[in-house]
Amino acid sequence: MTAPPIVELNGLTKRFSRKLDVVERFARRLGAAIDDRAVQAVSGVDLSIAEGEVVGLVGESGCGKSTLGRMVAGILPPSAGVLRWRGTDMRKLSPADRHRANLKIQMVFQDPMASLNPRLRVADIVGEAPVVHGLVPRRQAEEYVAATLRQVGLDPAYLRRYPHQFSGGQRQRIGIARALAVKPDVLVCDESVAALDVSIQAQIINLFMRLREELSLTYLFISHDLGVVEHISDRTAIMYLGRIVELAPTPELFDKPNHPYAKALLDEAPRVSVEKRRFAPIRGEIPSPLDPPAGCAFHPRCPHAMPRCSAERPALREIAPRRWSACHLNETTGP
Amino acid sequence: MTEPLLRVDGLRTHFLTRAGTVKAVDGVSLHLARGEILGLVGESGSGKSVTGQSILGLVDPPGRVVGGRVLFKGEDLVTAGEKRLRAIRGRRIAMIFQDPMMTLNPVLSIGTQMVEAVQAHEKVSRAEAWERSRRALARVGIASPDERLAAYPHQFSGGMRQRVAIAIALLHSPDLIIADEPTTALDVTIQAQILFEVQTLCRETGTALIWVTHDLAVVSALADRVAVMYAGRVVETGTVAEIIGSPRHPYTRGLLESVPSRNRRGVPLRSIPGMTPSILDLPEGCAFRPRCDRTTGACAVMPELAGERGDRAWRCWNPVGAEVRGDAA
């Protein structure tokens, strides 16, 4: 490929730690074995997103997918690793360039009621950022907001209303309009359709797809809903306990998942089908990131676990063109 | 035909608010045989949860059951007194809520709560009640139940808490469990575990189940029959195969077409236009009329729930698969 990826992550890591309180520090001085309690929410993630691509990010709660999304959107600073914007390390950009780059990556959240200021009118919610960033002169702001609202399928007559006067689906459209108002290239959508009813969810998914065509947007689409991700994304990454365990073009991944966790996840997602089925669930729960298992994080739940899995962590390797998986099984020959 | 375990007849639950009468449930009829699993499907505001609560007389004011009958083994629960209801709740009919923290008391250990639940309905010794709780926990797949009985709700994960709630519901081997979106807040793998337990338990104990949910996928995997609700009414009912395979009500069809995994990748979804109407201000006639692509002049009158047989019916003048009668509007 000639053009560098629009966003590239290299060993991106996020650690949340809690400082010790006075008593604990004192106890440590007396020789107690107390460490800072650190949660490694995201560990060394490599991912590159091409211009115009939709990458789906799937995982269960606590796997770090939202934290990863927030780092890409520039809301959370990474603890380690490199985030590249169109080939350049974000940290090496001049402050003005970094500011511009940050503006080009916008985020759409799950709960529009929590992410829209209830005391601002729609005109201000959507119009504030483009005016502040000098994209639109204040005098034309209202016109600009009206055009943006039309783009997301809202009547510009609602300009003077407050968020509580809208339904859930309309509020999500306002959230999208706010993100679009600063003319981004990349949208990070964090569970953006999860809280909506099925019929409304379909409308918003269609809106995302239409906007992608019209504005040639790039998406990082985070969701726990496999059906939604399968429908909308070109490539899908599956995360488990802070790491990507499988990454592949969506049709291939859903047809023939490689990683045992990906298989389990796809098997267990309920599907609308006529036949009744028996559930054959994988055992156990996602381990606490405070105390992740050694070796492969999935080995305590994995039906194929071998001794090696609890000792050595498998690296994410390319097992076929454009297909990546982190599992020792790919190196052993035979079953 | 023998009398079903539960027969709901023309149930109407209204909320008398200052803004007007909210007809949350407006003439819902259901029936359930022993050991049967019924999926009650609808979007938010369709009245599916209130239906479940009305069966057990759990609707809080300003809500009130204003009409209809709930016959449980031939006994009308709508007219039954509070004392009688208390004897039935938890013992013959149990309820599982979406948020297990609503069921569990955060300051009491799981064991204390379960023993209390056993002793509320039966005169048994504490030791026996403890033993029964232990067995119930083991039955829903909780490892080392003795330790878990001594633990408090906050020490459990979401999936574990929901298992505890299910174990409590099972304590008295009820005839019927009403489950209100019990797996909606859970992760896929945990949801699969819970569905697996529930399916096995119903099969083993012959407990009937009403599974209230918005998720068609869960229902299609779990239930025997489905009732689809829209704006306080059942709009279509049938077996899972009939509802999923050949929906007759345009709303049911629209719901199915909105599910992304049933569509080809990247193709725009055929969504239902518009949004769920406010139940305070329902359109005259069929409530789905403004969003429907098969509407005709006939739709200004509310159609009756009618069809091939009592449990395969739809509430539509122009059902999917039939010629649209009259002039299309």
Side-chain angles (χ1 to χ4, degrees):
Chain A
M1 251 191 301
T2 44
I6 187 160
V7 174
E8 192 179 1
L9 322 179
N10 248 180
L12 211 62
T13 298
K14 183 72 200 176
R15 204 177 297 113
F16 293 103
S17 58
R18 185 177 66 92
K19 286 254 165 21
L20 297 178
D21 63 25
V22 180
V23 179
E24 285 165 326
R25 274 205 304 267
F26 186 66
R28 183 153 72 172
R29 192 163 302 171
L30 294 179
I34 297 177
D35 281 328
D36 288 9
R37 279 166 72 81
V39 179
Q40 187 114 333
V42 176
S43 317
V45 166
D46 298 325
L47 179 68
S48 58
I49 305 172
E51 179 124 42
E53 191 182 28
V54 178
V55 174
L57 191 57
V58 190
E60 297 182 275
S61 38
C63 74
K65 56 188 192 299
S66 290
T67 306
L68 184 64
R70 278 159 196 259
M71 284 194 284
V72 171
I75 298 174
L76 279 177
S79 312
V82 180
L83 177 64
R84 284 197 188 82
W85 170 253
R86 294 188 186 280
T88 340
D89 187 343
M90 272 280 199
R91 288 170 306 185
K92 298 207 175 106
L93 290 172
S94 71
D97 282 343
R98 193 182 318 145
H99 189 80
R100 259 193 296 279
N102 274 330
L103 212 54
K104 287 289 179 193
I105 311 179
Q106 285 299 314
M107 190 147 183
V108 180
F109 298 90
Q110 168 172 7
D111 180 2
M113 210 49 209
S115 56
L116 301 177
N117 188 335
R119 313 218 294 185
L120 287 186
R121 294 175 194 275
V122 173
D124 298 318
I125 290 173
V126 179
E128 187 180 25
V131 170
V132 167
H133 292 291
L135 299 170
V136 179
R138 192 172 291 278
R139 264 176 294 119
Q140 289 163 28
E142 196 150 314
E143 225 170 280
Y144 180 73
V145 172
T148 313
L149 288 184
R150 236 174 267 125
Q151 209 167 32
V152 299
L154 278 178
D155 190 341
Y158 295 155
L159 220 56
R160 309 236 64 85
R161 290 203 189 174
Y162 291 96
H164 73 265
Q165 294 169 296
F166 292 89
S167 69
Q170 287 174 321
R171 259 181 241 142
Q172 197 55 280
R173 286 176 198 266
I174 298 172
I176 297 169
R178 178 181 57 180
L180 290 180
V182 292
K183 302 196 171 84
D185 294 338
V186 178
L187 280 189
V188 177
C189 307
D190 188 3
E191 298 280 11
S192 304
V193 297
L196 305 172
D197 271 327
V198 188
S199 66
I200 308 300
Q201 178 179 301
Q203 294 174 5
I204 301 294
I205 291 174
N206 285 346
L207 173 65
F208 274 125
M209 294 200 291
R210 177 167 64 78
L211 291 172
R212 177 196 185 186
E213 292 292 313
E214 287 175 6
L215 308 170
S216 35
L217 290 170
T218 305
Y219 292 135
L220 178 62
F221 204 90
I222 302 167
S223 178
H224 72 282
D225 188 329
L226 291 156
V228 171
V229 167
E230 181 182 10
H231 192 77
I232 200 168
S233 49
D234 302 320
R235 279 193 305 151
T236 300
I238 295 185
M239 271 185 93
Y240 190 76
L241 222 62
R243 290 171 206 278
I244 291 181
V245 294
E246 185 161 358
L247 169 68
T250 304
E252 289 171 39
L253 196 150
F254 280 79
D255 278 352
K256 230 175 164 316
N258 175 275
H259 196 280
Y261 178 64
K263 270 184 209 150
L265 205 60
L266 291 178
D267 278 351
E268 280 163 30
R271 305 225 144 202
V272 178
S273 69
V274 175
E275 308 120 56
K276 209 155 150 187
R277 49 178 282 205
R278 279 193 69 88
F279 291 93
I282 41 171
R283 306 188 56 83
E285 300 184 20
I286 194 162
S288 158
L290 267 173
D291 183 22
C296 171
F298 188 58
H299 85 262
R301 303 173 74 186
C302 182
H304 311 290
M306 349 177 241
R308 187 183 175 193
C309 300
S310 48
E312 188 188 335
R313 192 175 47 239
L316 190 64
R317 290 205 176 85
E318 192 157 23
I319 51 164
R322 303 201 356 109
R323 293 209 56 169
W324 297 73
S325 176
C327 183
H328 288 314
L329 287 174
N330 293 317
E331 289 161 41
T332 47
T333 44
Chain B
M1 198 177 125
T2 52
E3 181 63 21
L5 179 70
L6 178 80
R7 175 179 289 284
V8 178
D9 248 349
L11 181 71
R12 294 191 297 137
T13 305
H14 293 182
F15 288 76
L16 308 163
T17 66
R18 232 182 298 172
T21 305
V22 176
K23 297 176 180 173
V25 176
D26 205 21
V28 164
S29 299
L30 304 165
H31 64 89
L32 202 65
R34 208 164 268 288
E36 200 174 21
I37 303 181
L38 173 74
L40 195 55
V41 181
E43 297 185 283
S44 27
S46 63
K48 58 187 191 304
S49 292
V50 178
T51 302
Q53 290 163 9
S54 304
I55 292 172
L56 269 178
L58 287 175
V59 182
D60 288 325
R64 214 155 58 83
V65 177
V66 296
R69 295 187 304 166
V70 175
L71 296 173
F72 176 68
K73 292 177 162 177
E75 180 184 1
D76 191 353
L77 299 186
V78 171
T79 52
E82 187 58 24
K83 201 172 155 210
R84 179 69 191 133
L85 282 176
R86 287 193 73 117
I88 291 173
R89 280 184 209 137
R91 187 172 164 81
R92 304 278 38 111
I93 308 179
M95 185 137 188
I96 305 169
F97 296 92
Q98 172 170 359
D99 181 2
M101 278 317 249
M102 264 174 77
T103 323
L104 301 174
N105 186 332
V107 297
L108 294 179
S109 73
I110 298 292
T112 311
Q113 298 187 46
M114 291 186 79
V115 166
E116 197 174 89
V118 174
Q119 290 182 329
H121 291 291
E122 279 172 66
K123 274 205 158 47
V124 292
S125 71
R126 207 187 125 74
E128 198 186 327
W130 187 272
E131 176 54 28
R132 221 148 95 201
S133 313
R134 220 180 62 81
R135 278 203 308 266
L137 284 189
R139 205 152 62 164
V140 294
I142 293 184
S144 54
D146 279 312
E147 281 163 44
R148 293 317 224 165
L149 277 173
Y152 288 84
H154 72 266
Q155 295 170 298
F156 288 72
S157 67
M160 280 301 199
R161 267 182 225 145
Q162 199 55 279
R163 276 165 203 259
V164 172
I166 293 172
I168 292 178
L170 290 170
L171 277 176
H172 294 279
S173 331
D175 300 311
L176 170 64
I177 296 178
I178 299 172
D180 191 357
E181 306 248 16
T183 58
T184 303
L186 302 177
D187 278 320
V188 182
T189 57
I190 308 301
Q191 169 171 291
Q193 290 170 1
I194 301 241
L195 290 178
F196 170 74
E197 311 285 3
V198 165
Q199 213 173 32
T200 318
L201 288 168
C202 282
R203 203 163 295 156
E204 282 170 5
T205 59
T207 302
L209 182 66
I210 297 181
W211 195 271
V212 178
T213 183
H214 71 281
D215 193 332
L216 280 164
V218 167
V219 156
S220 77
L222 183 73
D224 302 308
R225 285 191 300 117
V226 180
V228 181
M229 286 190 70
Y230 187 79
R233 287 192 168 88
V234 172
V235 295
E236 183 164 5
T237 157
T239 63
V240 168
E242 287 164 340
I243 295 283
I244 309 286
S246 49
R248 303 302 300 272
H249 198 284
Y251 175 64
T252 315
R253 187 193 55 181
L255 270 189
L256 285 167
E257 284 174 347
S258 305
V259 177
S261 55
R262 282 174 70 85
N263 286 271
R264 213 143 45 80
R265 226 174 67 73
V267 176
L269 300 168
R270 281 199 45 189
S271 58
I272 307 174
M275 47 189 173
T276 335
S278 153
I279 8 183
L280 261 175
D281 183 26
L282 283 182
E284 189 87 357
C286 174
F288 188 59
R289 186 162 59 126
R291 303 174 72 185
C292 186
D293 58 356
R294 301 176 64 83
T295 173
T296 59
C299 302
V301 178
M302 169 64 80
E304 286 304 310
L305 194 64
E308 295 155 6
R309 9 170 254 276
D311 54 2
R312 176 66 186 128
W314 46 88
R315 195 184 277 280
C316 184
W317 293 117
N318 304 306
V320 176
E323 200 76 11
V324 175
R325 280 179 288 179
D327 50 339

